[in-house]
Amino acid sequence: MGKDYYSILGIPKDADDNAIKKAYKKMAMKWHPDRNAGKTEEASRMFKEISEAFEVLSDKNKRTVYDQLGEEGLKGGGGPPPGANAGSFPGGTSSFGGSLMHRQFFRQTGGMGGMGGMGGMRGMGGMGGMSGMGSGFDDDDDMGGRGFPGMFGGMAGGIPGGMPRSRGASFRSTRPSDAGAHPNGASAPSEIIRPLKVSLEELFSGTTKRLKVGRRLLSGETEEKILEIEIQPGWKAGTKIRFPKAGNELPSGEAQDVVFVLEEKSHPRFTREDNDLVTRLQIPLVDALTGSGGPRILDTLDGRKIRVSPSAGIVKPGAESRIVGEGMPIRKAGVAKKRGDLIIKWDVVFPDRLTPSQKEGVKKVLT
């Protein structure tokens, strides 16, 4: 007895084209091999049957022959009705996206592309590794050596800008993303978003990050590329850097964008408040009261040493000093010409104990 394509897609025999498309999309997502790591063999078999059922039932001529003669009649000697296209029966389709019909269907509906090419349902289909590469390359703990399991695995059309695919090639991003606009008005493929942790020193002076990534193509092959990101002075946490079409190849013929979102590492001495830098310095109680002790030496983010002193008079707990122009670079129109301020918060250090004579002396002075 032949296969029941209607049962495979879970639809009645009077289902219209729209119902067939919806059922196929649902079942293809459910049984895509990338989403069924623990039962790959069963998923591959089911996925093949689902694809076969869709190709038959979505074709008016093939569906007519199938309804009349069943699977055996369609594959055997039944032949299509007059005027039908007899070519390319889907029985040989062994992988998603293997037929023109599949690619056209998901290009039109957004289908699997909206789900990250289905590779994204289990980590985008296998990362293949993201790591630092030695001198001059990123060695952040979250990037180096361990990789991002399942980040992305393919690039369609080579490097952005029309460069051909080639192992070991690199491509660069030097400016923030423009919120995901895509050329030609086409619907945007899914994005792969990953954090990129950077230090305050790197955001202050700028730096270049080079990330080695492995990407998987629809053919199943993996190729390596180097993503080069030029961190500009003054960038802030949340800045997005986009590499168009640098992710997985999708069955629709598109490729995912790769988007890095800057995250600011914690710093042992400074915190950032918009364009200002804030640090805390301790001052002994006696210096806070008398103004003695002289200026303090503070190391800046770019390695300079500057002298800082509290305001004249008594320094109260929580008092602040401001040094204009010693904060973070302020970017306007892509250029950093000014800087924010450096704010110093003074922590008055009280003694742990006083001797009886010291207490009497304090009373005499303060009363």
Side-chain angles (χ1 to χ4, degrees):
M1 186 175 180
K3 297 174 183 176
D4 186 346
Y5 291 145
Y6 293 99
S7 295
I8 290 174
L9 294 182
I11 55 177
K13 290 188 176 182
D14 60 350
D16 59 17
D17 291 343
N18 188 49
I20 293 172
K21 290 179 181 179
K22 288 183 178 180
Y24 171 61
K25 183 177 177 180
K26 176 181 178 181
M27 297 300 291
M29 289 179 177
K30 177 180 178 180
W31 287 103
H32 195 282
D34 284 351
R35 294 190 65 188
N36 294 271
K39 45 184 178 180
T40 304
E41 185 175 344
E42 179 187 3
S44 298
R45 177 181 59 80
M46 287 296 299
F47 194 76
K48 179 179 178 181
E49 291 185 358
I50 292 164
S51 301
E52 184 176 315
F54 172 71
E55 289 204 19
V56 172
L57 298 183
S58 62
D59 184 292
K60 182 178 180 180
N61 295 321
K62 291 178 181 177
R63 183 178 181 181
T64 299
V65 174
Y66 173 77
D67 287 342
Q68 293 176 358
L69 304 174
E71 181 195 12
E72 293 87 353
L74 187 62
K75 290 184 177 180
N85 180 2
S88 65
F89 183 77
T93 301
S94 59
S95 63
F96 186 76
S99 70
L100 177 61
M101 180 179 292
H102 288 168
R103 292 192 294 273
Q104 290 175 337
F105 172 75
F106 281 104
R107 184 178 292 114
Q108 293 166 358
T109 65
M112 306 289 265
M115 296 294 291
M118 294 312 301
M121 301 307 295
R122 189 171 54 84
M124 305 302 175
M127 165 61 183
M130 168 174 280
S131 62
M133 295 182 61
S135 177
F137 285 76
D138 180 72
D139 59 356
D140 182 82
D141 289 342
D142 288 340
M143 296 283 187
R146 297 183 303 172
F148 286 154
M151 177 178 168
F152 56 96
M155 167 184 265
I159 299 171
M163 295 176 64
R165 295 189 188 119
S166 60
R167 287 192 175 275
S170 64
F171 50 98
R172 175 181 302 185
S173 180
T174 61
R175 58 184 179 180
S177 165
D178 58 356
H182 288 261
N184 303 323
S187 59
S190 59
E191 300 174 350
I192 302 168
I193 300 177
R194 284 294 179 270
L196 177 62
K197 292 190 175 183
V198 289
S199 66
L200 266 181
E201 286 85 354
E202 292 170 329
L203 293 173
F204 185 89
S205 301
T207 189
T208 299
K209 295 277 188 179
R210 296 181 181 91
L211 307 174
K212 181 179 179 181
V213 299
R215 305 171 300 183
R216 195 178 65 186
L217 307 177
L218 277 179
S219 64
E221 296 179 351
T222 299
E223 64 179 4
E224 292 181 348
K225 296 289 181 183
I226 297 172
L227 306 184
E228 185 172 295
I229 303 174
E230 291 189 10
I231 306 297
Q232 300 296 316
W235 275 5
K236 298 179 180 180
T239 298
K240 294 182 179 181
I241 306 98
R242 179 182 300 275
F243 291 89
K245 300 184 182 299
N248 278 351
E249 286 184 339
L250 302 177
S252 64
E254 296 289 335
Q256 295 162 316
D257 288 358
V258 177
V259 181
F260 290 98
V261 181
L262 292 190
E263 289 187 0
E264 186 180 293
K265 294 181 182 178
S266 60
H267 195 276
R269 292 181 294 115
F270 294 99
T271 57
R272 182 178 186 175
E273 294 183 359
D274 196 15
N275 294 313
D276 295 333
L277 286 173
V278 180
T279 190
R280 307 189 76 94
L281 292 179
Q282 292 184 338
I283 181 171
L285 177 61
V286 63
D287 293 346
L289 294 173
T290 64
S292 58
R296 272 69 172 169
I297 304 298
L298 181 65
D299 292 327
T300 63
L301 288 174
D302 56 353
R304 294 176 294 114
K305 295 183 182 296
I306 59 175
R307 293 174 177 267
V308 296
S309 300
S311 302
I314 294 175
V315 179
K316 298 179 180 179
E320 296 182 358
S321 301
R322 182 180 292 266
I323 303 178
V324 177
E326 286 293 348
M328 295 294 293
I330 301 174
R331 296 193 67 80
K332 287 187 177 181
V335 179
K337 293 183 178 180
K338 296 182 179 181
R339 289 181 180 174
D341 298 339
L342 172 62
I343 300 172
I344 302 159
K345 296 185 177 182
W346 297 95
D347 293 329
V348 179
V349 181
F350 285 75
D352 292 329
R353 59 186 179 82
L354 294 174
T355 64
S357 60
Q358 289 173 327
K359 292 178 182 180
E360 288 298 323
V362 171
K363 288 181 182 179
K364 290 180 181 180
V365 171
L366 297 180
T367 57

